[in-house]
Amino acid sequence: MFEHYSVLRDESIKGLAIKENGTYIDCTLGGGGHSEQIASKLSEEGLLIAFDQDQDALEAAKQRLEKYQDRILFIHANFREMEEKLREHRIEHVDGILFDLGVSSPQLDRGDRGFSYQQDARLDMRMNQSAELTAYDIVNNWSYNQLVSIFFRYGEEKFSKQIARKIEESRNIKTIETTYELVEIIKDAIPAPARRKGGHPAKRIFQALRIAVNDELEAFNSAIYQAAKVVDIEGRIAVITFHSLEDRLCKQAFKKWSTPKPTPRNLPIIPKEFEAPFKLITRKPIIAGNDELEENRRSRSAKLRVVEKVNPWNEEFITS
């Protein structure tokens, strides 16, 4: 069964300020927990559009949400295809959009998916099982410089060079097939004192590989800008992030969109083209409370940010 704890569920649903006859997008359907809450607040005139690129998650969520099937459109696609899929289905109005960027617990916990450094499996890490690129391909075929780049950029790993060099040495002897093989190589590359602090020594490398395999940051960057364009006036965008790279990207985008352009001094009113298209609903990110942290340790790194559209999207405003 595809069970998944919905992080910051109540806070994110509250942040969306759901209208019962509105149209909403859950960009990351996962186990369906957030979608279930959204759908339960919609009338028969409301619509929820639920994206997921993981076919297993999609099928499990369809069963969980069966009683709401009359108001849900399930889409098997990456959320970076948002605008394209909305056009295909002739959907013109969107009242709110939710991103929950965490990896679903079943993806981490099922050994055969190759996401976890705590379970032995063939290196994979594809969220979309039909995608070509796998962690196995990256570990065994990418150059030393490419490995250093993703380990440092996506994993913020200070021993990136040592780990990449050890991977290169190991794969010259035999291919690196499994998660446990890779974990041992990572451990060998990191000095013993560093291994004893800061959590599991493979954590940052596995994060970096997962992001690279699924092109996560580029997909999110593309999708968040699409969301800003398609959401209606008074509509909201809520984003739950789980690591600093995603949160920084979200924070910078929201700040840019909610900051008016500098205007000449002494103007009686701000011209429309200088007004910010969004306003911040959350000045600081919302984090999980003690009760949730006791129930789900993966909530400890989660941050929720929410913005509301208050003016038409102005491409010139954003790019200038």
Side-chain angles (χ1 to χ4, degrees):
M1 180 61 181
F2 201 100
E3 291 291 345
H4 174 58
Y5 189 99
S6 299
V7 174
L8 294 169
R9 186 191 65 187
D10 295 343
E11 294 87 345
S12 57
I13 301 305
K14 181 181 178 183
L16 286 174
I18 293 169
K19 307 168 188 171
E20 64 174 17
N21 60 346
T23 298
Y24 294 86
I25 302 177
D26 185 348
C27 291
T28 42
L29 173 61
H34 289 113
S35 280
E36 185 173 43
Q37 288 298 305
I38 295 170
S40 70
K41 295 180 182 299
L42 296 178
S43 68
E44 292 180 0
E45 284 74 44
L47 175 66
L48 172 62
I49 304 147
F51 281 80
D52 209 296
Q53 60 183 334
D54 187 325
Q55 189 65 50
D56 290 349
L58 205 63
E59 293 306 318
K62 283 180 181 178
Q63 294 180 30
R64 175 175 182 169
L65 303 172
E66 187 175 6
K67 69 177 178 179
Y68 301 116
Q69 61 182 336
D70 61 328
R71 64 195 74 166
I72 303 178
L73 171 63
F74 294 97
I75 298 180
H76 181 216
N78 187 289
F79 52 55
R80 75 194 312 167
E81 299 175 51
M82 185 189 307
E83 283 187 292
E84 178 186 338
K85 295 301 180 183
L86 291 179
R87 281 194 299 269
E88 280 182 17
H89 293 278
R90 298 181 180 178
I91 296 167
E92 297 179 355
H93 302 288
V94 177
D95 296 289
I97 300 172
L98 173 66
F99 292 87
D100 171 5
L101 299 177
V103 181
S104 293
S105 300
Q107 291 171 328
L108 290 172
D109 297 339
R110 274 183 52 185
D112 61 336
R113 298 296 296 273
F115 283 98
S116 177
Y117 46 78
Q118 295 178 323
Q119 298 194 55
D120 198 20
R122 180 175 171 82
L123 285 165
D124 192 326
M125 302 195 192
R126 291 172 299 171
M127 292 182 182
N128 179 353
Q129 297 98 314
S130 63
E132 292 185 8
L133 183 66
T134 68
Y136 173 91
D137 298 325
I138 293 175
V139 167
N140 287 288
N141 300 321
W142 282 24
S143 71
Y144 164 79
N145 287 333
Q146 287 175 304
L147 292 176
V148 171
S149 177
I150 64 165
F151 294 165
F152 187 77
R153 183 183 173 200
Y154 297 153
E156 300 177 294
E157 172 59 70
K158 63 180 179 180
F159 296 108
S160 295
K161 291 181 179 179
Q162 294 94 320
I163 294 168
R165 187 66 71 202
K166 184 65 73 172
I167 287 173
E168 196 174 47
E169 291 171 4
S170 300
R171 72 191 187 189
N172 284 337
I173 299 169
K174 65 177 287 293
T175 56
I176 302 164
E177 302 276 348
T178 70
T179 53
Y180 275 9
E181 286 176 37
L182 179 58
V183 167
E184 290 307 310
I185 291 166
I186 294 167
K187 286 180 178 178
D188 286 346
I190 297 176
R195 290 202 304 268
R196 290 193 285 269
K197 58 185 180 181
H200 196 286
K203 178 181 178 180
R204 289 177 291 276
I205 297 301
F206 272 63
Q207 173 181 294
L209 286 169
R210 193 201 76 225
I211 291 172
V213 166
N214 298 289
D215 197 23
E216 290 178 28
L217 291 180
E218 291 305 316
F220 176 51
N221 190 47
S222 171
I224 194 76
Y225 274 84
Q226 292 180 51
K229 286 191 276 185
V230 304
V231 73
D232 284 353
I233 303 289
E234 297 185 359
R236 292 186 175 186
I237 303 172
V239 179
I240 303 170
T241 62
F242 287 82
H243 59 75
S244 59
L245 299 172
E246 295 169 339
D247 185 57
R248 192 180 308 138
L249 198 159
C250 179
K251 179 182 178 181
Q252 289 172 349
F254 283 5
K255 182 179 179 182
K256 189 175 186 180
W257 303 345
S258 60
T259 304
K261 288 172 68 173
T263 57
R265 295 180 67 181
N266 302 321
L267 283 181
I269 58 170
I270 299 175
K272 274 289 179 189
E273 63 269 23
F274 287 83
E275 292 181 357
F278 284 85
K279 71 174 182 181
L280 294 175
I281 298 300
T282 53
R283 293 279 166 190
K284 292 182 178 180
I286 296 171
I287 59 175
N290 290 332
D291 289 347
E292 178 168 339
L293 291 173
E294 286 178 12
E295 288 183 45
N296 181 38
R297 61 184 177 81
R298 288 174 180 155
S299 296
R300 68 185 182 275
S301 58
K303 293 181 178 179
L304 169 66
R305 297 182 186 273
V306 184
V307 288
E308 181 178 314
K309 198 170 197 176
V310 291
N311 287 303
W313 178 254
N314 185 338
E315 204 72 50
E316 217 173 274
F317 178 96
I318 299 303
T319 55
S320 59

